[in-house]
Every structure is written in structure tokens, then in C-alpha cells.
Amino acid sequence: MKPADGPPLAVTAHHREFLPADGAVLDVIATVHGPEPASNVRHDGLAEVILLDTSGSMGAPQAKMQAARQASIAAIDALPDGVAFAVVAGTGTATMVFPAEVRLAVADERTRAAARRALKSVSPHGGTAIGTWLLLARQLLATRPDAIGHAILLTDGRNETQHPDDLRAAVQECEGHLTVDCRAIGSADGVHDWDATELLGIAEALGANPVVPVEDLAGLGDEFRTVLARAMARRVANARLRIRTTELARVRFVKQVHPAIADLTGRGEPAGELTTGYPIGAWSPQDRRDYHVGLEVDPLAAGTRRRIGWLSVDTETGEAPVEVPLTVEWTDDVLSHSEIHPSVAFYTVQQDYATAFHSGLAAAREDRIAEAEEKLGRAVALAHATGKDADVQRIARIVDVHDAAAGLVRLKVGVDWRLAESSRVVVHTTTRWGAAADERRPPTPAPRAAPWSHCGERQLGAYCQVCGAEHGTGEAVPERR
């Protein structure tokens, strides 16, 4: 996929200014905004594949298949003219619904009508092998390498007719070639037969979008239309968050923390000297995502101020990314270096919530009841404190909540663990820091420093681009004429 023409993504950084003199991990929240809306919107650079679970379980009850079919039709109707698209039926294998051949059609009045007719003949049968569905989507999108590829994956079951290693290999094959939005169908009483671990693994690798459980089949069509609207607005593909450090710092971890928690640490690739790029998927103008970057910083004498790194976003346009500097000061003042930036605290609480829930659920499944109630109680208390009342109600499917604020819960007797699957994915979906003050403030340009020499190189900025030393610690050099 190549990025569409348009302005680059914007990045801002939030972190505390002071570090202890003996070194520490600097926590940075990097906020990335989507590109400005284009005035001349074209859709011939977009490609969409609908991956529709048509396994036998989709017929129990038939209302699931009917709702999935109608939602797919709603999505097709929402496709703008010029978009390349296909519909795939997923069972123990992947087969084309529309077009009949393994290719992409181009959306117009005629092809949309033909796709609607083809969907009416789809019926549930067979097993579930999600990896084969993804590989067919990859094959289809490979015919349009110039387009931004996206897939909607709708399922109600587990990857039961395919070895887990084959699913992982299929996901890996798709990385960098498409992004996916997963929608998982359950029953109205909260029972879900799909596997949260499988869907979270797919989502994390292919765009890090939230996995959304669907229990109200009547709303499935609107859900598909919402997903399509965002996908059809995408103007940037294969963006990467770039982290460049001086020799004073090293990347310890990189996590997406909004809209969904996803660990990107192991997905980084070298992008130059002391620089690593982390894939952050495709972007539309309304997108905003936040990333938690942990930088391990060496000790320095108290009072020393240095630039330790830079953040930027690479959109593969060939233009040099605009870098945002990270500058800190080492100090012996405990009050100064112990301060936590509010953005870091905000997302740390939500990551703790997800960790507490997963730990509690694991303990419950192994009959460690006291530990399970302590951890699940903490999850309930954190969800309550952050206003996630719907999450508390979901967790209450497996525990009796006696005091949400205090985290006092008791595990229900004879729990059907399928009631926990929706919570396993929902705890990874976060609320956004600074939602009430989402303003794009252009950075104030720093005064231009006179040319100076440091680390054996001519420097033009306020800090040495090799070691991060501040201007004034080297020798002045004359301007070149």
C-alpha cells in the first residue's frame, strides 16, 4: 500500500521534565493526529474486503446469519463509487461471494446491486478457519498494491478447524498489507463462543483497532456503516511512529494506549542510526491515537539539561518527518522528579485495569478464588473510578459486585466462562485523555541558534544532533557562505 497524497500526520509529546540524577525510565505519551481533510476526495485509492463468517454456528439461531447478511448489504450500500471491494464467505475455507472470481470489483450502482444479490444466497455451514479468510483478503488486496486496504471481519466462533500456528502465520503474512476491524457476535445474554485471544492477536497486528463485541443484532448494520465511513476516509497508509534517541537513552517499550491497548514493542524495525520505526497503520482525518513510550535514560549530574530523543511519524511520502524533541533535566529534588505527567497517569490506570481483569480471570479459571476476587475486585474498582459503568456491568456477569467503589466482589458459582469473553476484549478499549481540550496547537518555533560545533560535527539547532548537548557547550563556527 502506498499513502495517498496529503499532509503528514502530526505528533505531540507529553512527559515530565525532570529525571533523578541516577537515571530512570522517562514515560512519554505521544499523541498522533490524522491528516487534515482533503478538499478533493477520491476513492479509487481504497480497497475493502468484507470477511463474513458463514460457518454452521451462524445459523444457530438463524437471526445471526440474517443480521450479518443485512449488515454486509448496508456496508456495500455505503461504498462510494470507485472503491475496489469484495465479499468473502468464511467457513473451514474462504470462498468468494462477490465477485465470483478471485478479484476485486469496482463499486458502482451495478456492482453494488450484484453484490447484494449474491449475499442473499449465502447460508451457514461448515467450520471456522479465520487464517484462510485473512489470506484470501491479502491475495485480493495484493491485486491493488496502490490502494489502502482494509477488511471487516465478522465472526461468532473460534478458529476451531485450523491449527493456531497457521492462524498466526496468516496474520503475519497480512501485516503491513491491510488493517482489520473485528466484530464478534454473541447472544443477548452475554454468551460468546469466539476466542478473545485470537481476535485480539489479529487486531493488534493488523492496525490495533478495538475488537467490538456485538450482542444487539439490530445494531449490526449501523456498526458496519460506522466502520466503513472511517475506512473510506483514510488518506494515509503504513504510517510509522519513529523514535530517534541520543546515546543517553534506549527504547524500553512502545504501546498504543488509545483507542485500544496494543503492545508494539516487538514490532519495531531499524530506521536509521539510533532510530526505530513502529507500525501504526492507516489513518483518516478524524483519527487520534495515543502511544506510551518508555525510554531508559542514563544518569547525569544534577542540573544538567539534555535533549535525549525525538519523535516523528513517517508516512512514506519521501518527505523528511517533522521531529518533536524530548528534553529533560536531571535533578536531586525528589518532588520534581517524582511528579507524574497527568497523561501518563491517565493511561497507566487503564492499563492497570486490563491487567487486573486478565490476572483475576486467570486465577478464577484455576480455582484460586481469593486471588481471583482480589484482582477482579480491583478491576471493578478501577472501571468504576474511571466512569466505565458498562464495563462493571459486563464483569458482573461472572462476579457479584457488592461495592464497586471499594472493589468488593464475590465470584459467582458455576460460572459459564463464555460470559467473560466480551470483557476480555473491552478492557483493552480505552477512553481518551484530554477529550475536552482536543486542540491542535502548532508548536512554537525555537529561536534559531548560531552555528556551533559539537561531537566533531557542525550543528545548526539548539541541541547537538549526535549526543543531545545543549547549545553553548561547544565552539561557535562561522556561517558558510
Side-chain angles (χ1 to χ4, degrees):
M1 294 183 295
K2 297 179 181 178
D5 294 335
L9 305 181
V11 59
T12 54
H14 317 277
H15 63 91
R16 70 179 188 267
E17 183 180 0
F18 296 98
L19 288 178
D22 55 358
V25 173
L26 178 69
D27 292 293
V28 181
I29 298 298
T31 297
V32 179
H33 293 276
E36 293 294 338
S39 57
N40 53 338
V41 177
R42 295 179 57 185
H43 296 103
D44 55 1
L46 302 172
E48 183 70 30
V49 179
I50 299 173
L51 300 175
L52 181 61
D53 187 340
T54 61
S55 62
S57 61
M58 287 291 288
Q62 280 288 340
K64 285 196 290 187
M65 192 72 251
Q66 293 168 359
R69 191 183 295 118
Q70 289 302 316
S72 299
I73 289 173
I76 289 166
D77 288 342
L79 289 171
D81 286 354
V83 175
F85 79 103
V87 182
V88 171
T91 59
T93 59
T95 57
M96 297 296 297
V97 174
F98 182 84
E101 307 84 12
V102 181
R103 63 178 180 84
L104 295 170
V106 177
D108 58 26
E109 186 175 350
R110 179 186 61 82
T111 56
R112 284 191 292 266
R116 288 194 295 268
R117 288 193 299 271
L119 272 164
K120 291 179 180 178
S121 64
V122 170
S123 60
H125 66 281
T128 304
I130 298 175
T132 65
W133 314 353
L134 292 170
L135 288 177
L136 182 52
R138 166 75 179 91
Q139 181 182 352
L140 289 164
L141 294 170
T143 66
R144 285 294 307 273
D146 59 317
I148 300 176
H150 176 263
I152 300 177
L153 192 162
L154 177 71
T155 186
D156 77 330
R158 299 167 182 265
N159 195 59
E160 59 188 9
T161 53
Q162 184 180 41
H163 194 279
D165 289 344
D166 293 332
L167 174 59
R168 284 189 286 269
V171 172
Q172 187 174 7
E173 177 68 21
C174 293
E175 287 187 54
H177 300 285
L178 70 153
T179 57
V180 173
D181 276 281
C182 297
R183 297 297 179 266
I185 293 180
S187 64
D189 59 359
V191 173
H192 294 263
D193 290 314
W194 40 268
D195 187 321
T197 300
E198 290 176 353
L199 296 187
L200 287 170
I202 293 169
E204 185 171 290
L206 305 180
N209 295 312
V211 175
V212 178
V214 177
E215 296 172 0
D216 178 12
L217 294 178
L220 190 57
D222 288 340
E223 186 69 36
F224 268 38
R225 277 187 285 266
T226 299
V227 172
L228 254 295
R230 186 174 293 274
M232 293 302 98
R234 285 176 175 161
R235 295 293 174 265
V236 173
N238 282 344
R240 288 185 173 270
L241 177 65
R242 294 200 340 167
I243 303 172
R244 181 164 70 94
T245 65
T246 67
E247 293 181 352
L248 291 170
R250 291 153 300 284
V251 177
R252 174 176 282 189
F253 62 81
V254 178
K255 302 175 184 177
Q256 179 182 281
V257 289
H258 179 76
I261 298 170
D263 192 350
L264 306 181
T265 308
R267 303 184 189 281
E269 295 183 354
E273 186 176 2
L274 298 177
T275 305
T276 307
Y278 297 85
I280 56 175
W283 290 72
S284 60
Q286 65 268 44
D287 287 340
R288 171 189 149 162
R289 294 178 178 248
D290 289 346
Y291 302 89
H292 187 177
V293 177
L295 295 176
E296 186 177 344
V297 183
D298 292 339
L300 274 183
T304 305
R305 189 174 181 83
R306 289 283 190 276
R307 186 161 292 180
I308 61 166
W310 297 261
L311 300 178
S312 61
V313 180
D314 181 11
T315 57
E316 298 183 348
T317 60
E319 299 179 4
V322 177
E323 293 188 315
V324 174
L326 303 174
T327 304
V328 297
E329 182 174 321
W330 285 257
T331 180
D332 288 328
D333 182 359
V334 175
L335 291 179
S336 294
H337 68 62
S338 61
E339 181 181 354
I340 300 175
H341 193 278
S343 65
V344 174
F346 182 84
Y347 285 122
T348 298
V349 168
Q350 297 190 73
Q351 293 178 77
D352 289 347
Y353 162 48
T355 299
F357 177 81
H358 286 297
S359 298
L361 185 61
R365 286 179 162 174
E366 295 176 4
D367 291 326
R368 304 195 306 273
I369 305 303
E371 179 185 351
E373 291 177 344
E374 188 272 326
K375 295 289 178 60
L376 291 172
R378 174 168 171 74
V380 166
L382 289 170
H384 175 77
T386 52
K388 296 184 174 184
D389 295 335
D391 285 21
V392 173
Q393 293 174 10
R394 287 181 186 272
I395 300 173
R397 292 169 176 175
I398 62 172
V399 297
D400 294 317
V401 180
H402 295 287
D403 187 333
L408 181 58
V409 305
R410 290 293 179 267
L411 194 67
K412 292 180 183 289
V413 177
V415 172
D416 182 347
W417 295 119
R418 296 178 299 169
L419 292 168
E421 290 304 293
S422 61
S423 289
R424 288 179 66 199
V425 297
V426 167
V427 297
H428 287 262
T429 302
T430 60
T431 53
R432 178 165 62 83
W433 176 71
D438 185 17
E439 298 177 7
R440 298 192 187 192
R441 298 182 177 89
T444 302
R448 186 176 179 182
W452 55 297
S453 178
H454 203 270
C455 292
E457 295 187 10
R458 186 171 184 269
Q459 307 292 337
L460 296 176
Y463 293 84
C464 175
Q465 297 292 294
V466 178
C467 73
E470 192 170 5
H471 179 260
T473 58
E475 299 176 355
V477 297
E479 280 276 13
R480 294 179 179 174
R481 297 184 180 277

